[in-house]
Amino acid sequence: MRATLHPRCTCFDIQICGTWSNLQTTGVTTTLGADDADVKNGILYIYTSLFGDKIGFARLNQTFNLTNYKYIKAKIKSGSFYGRIGIGTTAGITALASLTKYSGELTAGVVILDISSVSGNYYIYLTAQHKTSGNTTVLGGAVQYEELFLTNA
């Protein structure tokens, strides 16, 4: 399953096994961050928190049945902020420790979350984190997500 961002709307089209299935998410909701998640020119922007020690969180607006998939992958456009993929069973997660699973951090390239050990419905979360720590104020920071995949390879 592949989610591709559209430049003129805030929805994803979901692609399964190389063919379009006409499934769509109903958008993305920010659960923690300096600004709401936004789609510009086909790129999903997830914003950091105002302070360097906080992670910006956004989730897809509906749950996905992950039973038949082994990995979630997200393509991150180059930048100076860290992104992660996570999954959780509740809609308002604002801390990594509250996620069921989450990936390592990456500033550019394809970040991968192994979901082979989970089954059932989960929200998919995307994060944004500044490289600094402590109470350093961070304005305008975002991770730019280009694609999102559910896959077995």
Side-chain angles (χ1 to χ4, degrees), residues 84-122:
R84 285 186 172 99
I85 307 166
I87 58 171
T89 56
T90 59
I93 292 175
T94 60
L96 288 175
S98 299
L99 292 168
T100 304
K101 291 190 84 168
Y102 59 89
S103 68
E105 57 192 23
L106 193 66
T107 57
V110 178
V111 63
I112 301 169
L113 176 62
D114 182 342
I115 55 170
S116 59
S117 63
V118 302
S119 63
N121 292 320
Y122 290 86

Side-chain angles (χ1 to χ4, degrees), residues 19-41:
T19 60
W20 292 100
S21 64
N22 296 320
L23 297 172
Q24 289 188 338
T25 74
T26 56
V28 177
T29 297
T30 299
T31 59
L32 181 66
D35 206 348
D36 289 338
D38 191 18
V39 175
K40 299 175 192 169
N41 298 318

Side-chain angles (χ1 to χ4, degrees), residues 10 24 32 37 44 49 55 58 77 93 95 101 106 109 126-127 143:
T10 58
Q24 289 188 338
L32 181 66
L44 174 64
S49 173
I55 299 173
K77 191 173 179 174
I93 292 175
K101 291 190 84 168
L106 193 66
L126 302 171
T127 71
V143 173

